[in-house]
Amino acid sequence: MRFALSKIESADEILLEHFLSFRERLTVRRPFFRQICDWLCQSLFPDHALENSELVLVQRCPEMAYNFIQSEEQSFQERHDPDERYPDGPLTMRIAEQPDFPPEQAYRQFAVHLRPVRCAPFVAAHISLHGLPYDETLLIELKRLRDFDRAWFKGAFAFALSLGLSQMPST
């Protein structure tokens, strides 16, 4: 009887090891999947506490994500001049202007031509988190906005996902 119980416990541990290995391999190429894997891990392995998880940190202290995003925004502004030619994003802005879109992520305090690049990672996260439909035209526009400043998009998208996932039930 004891042997069977220890096999079950070790099977859970083996499954967790495989999941964490998968998580590490996946996030090398796609860092933003870390938050999604962490959210899944909370459901699959509720007794396991993740170390160094942005999602767990944001769940405990959402202000941390906003501080990180603000820091990324300052770095973005240092890399770009307001007079620089920014890509437009009418489809992105249509989503950012919807009533269910978080107002703090819509950058309404900025000039119209500066907003699409700033809103793009949040719009992409919003679409992902809510399973909203999108077409190829929007995808191309988001890629163009991302390509304007990949560092901004990557960082803001990861923390936008963390914020959204931290508010969703994991079970």
Side-chain angles (χ1 to χ4, degrees), residues 26-138:
L26 178 64
T27 58
V28 166
R29 291 183 162 215
R30 304 281 187 224
F32 56 85
F33 273 109
R34 184 176 175 93
Q35 288 80 6
I36 295 168
C37 287
D38 292 355
W39 183 73
L40 288 171
C41 190
Q42 289 176 339
S43 292
L44 298 172
F45 309 101
D47 297 331
H48 176 73
L50 290 169
E51 296 176 14
N52 301 324
S53 169
E54 293 93 352
L55 179 61
V56 172
L57 293 172
V58 169
Q59 286 171 327
R60 292 181 184 152
C61 182
E63 300 82 33
M64 188 196 86
Y66 290 111
N67 291 340
F68 176 81
I69 291 168
Q70 187 176 24
S71 173
E72 286 293 309
E73 170 67 24
Q74 289 171 338
S75 296
F76 173 85
Q77 289 180 7
E78 291 169 5
R79 291 189 298 270
H80 300 284
D81 187 270
D83 297 328
E84 187 175 345
R85 174 140 168 73
Y86 283 67
D88 63 345
L91 300 173
T92 299
M93 294 315 301
R94 196 172 305 148
I95 294 169
E97 294 299 330
Q98 292 177 356
D100 66 332
F101 192 80
E104 66 276 3
Q105 298 172 0
Y107 290 92
R108 291 186 179 101
Q109 71 274 24
F110 284 91
V112 173
H113 76 285
L114 301 175
R115 292 178 62 205
V117 170
R118 286 174 173 81
C119 292
F122 300 103
V123 167
H126 185 74
I127 290 169
S128 299
L129 290 164
H130 299 287
L132 300 177
Y134 61 90
D135 62 13
E136 187 176 325
T137 309
L138 176 60

